Amino acid sequence: TAFALCGCYEINAPVLETGERAPIAGTYHCTGLFRSSQETIQETSTGLLWKDYRYTNASGDILTLRKINSALFAAQIKSSQGIALVFIDAPTNDRFNIRMPDLVSHAPRIDALAARHAITATPSKRNRDFIALGGSTENLLSFITAHSSDLLTTALECNRIGS
């Protein structure tokens, strides 16, 4: 599935308790390095005045989003493999990109960001190529939402199918 990626951050417990809305519900064709798939993402919400949004795919992965800027969201993915954190760039209603930290080009800047927010980062013991993050929920949330687009690389590009 598009939600299952390598190179993501991994956490032991959720940091996003409530989710924000993004224009990603629908059916998409997603392509990336060595993969191509079709994804259907469904939106659900609870609450009357203060809505809490969740997104799910056919695999049952649950996506919770927090807006960082006008198009960039921090994305928490709960799946059978655990909880991962990636980023979703949704500039239009017709497409979105799943992005990850660019550790090849920006490792020193990402390490400095982690240090500034008192975050530990170690290779995951559960998921190959994932980075296990440690720290308080508040520090993890601050670290994740402090990422800017220039620290990220696109892993998957997803284009809406139909209307």
Side-chain angles (χ1 to χ4, degrees), residues 9-17 66 68 74-76 83-87 113-114 116-122 131-147:
Y9 292 137
E10 175 185 87
I11 53 176
N12 288 325
V15 295
L16 300 178
E17 295 299 328
R66 174 71 50 91
I68 295 175
Q76 174 180 277
I83 304 170
L85 293 166
V86 296
F87 300 86
L113 191 64
R116 199 162 46 247
H117 292 280
I119 298 300
T120 60
T122 57
I131 300 151
L133 299 180
S136 71
T137 300
E138 184 178 316
N139 288 354
L140 284 164
L141 186 55
S142 294
F143 170 68
I144 293 302
T145 56
H147 282 67

Side-chain angles (χ1 to χ4, degrees), residues 17-86:
E17 295 299 328
T18 59
E20 296 182 48
R21 190 162 197 251
I24 63 168
T27 301
Y28 294 84
H29 181 255
C30 298
T31 56
L33 199 60
F34 308 120
R35 71 163 32 124
S36 177
S37 66
Q38 184 170 312
E39 285 287 331
T40 297
I41 301 169
Q42 294 184 310
E43 177 184 274
T44 58
S45 65
T46 57
L48 293 172
L49 295 176
W50 292 275
K51 292 214 179 255
D52 178 15
Y53 291 91
R54 295 286 188 273
Y55 297 87
T56 55
N57 64 6
S59 302
D61 301 338
I62 301 168
L63 184 63
T64 307
L65 303 174
R66 174 71 50 91
K67 186 176 271 196
I68 295 175
N69 64 38
S70 62
L72 185 65
F73 294 81
Q76 174 180 277
I77 304 165
K78 288 174 80 172
S79 73
S80 59
Q81 284 96 30
I83 304 170
L85 293 166
V86 296

Side-chain angles (χ1 to χ4, degrees), residues 7-9 100-108 110-111 129 131 151 153:
C8 309
Y9 292 137
M100 310 178 309
D102 186 349
L103 296 172
V104 174
S105 301
H106 298 296
I110 294 169
D111 287 345
D129 297 329
I131 300 151
L151 292 177
T153 186

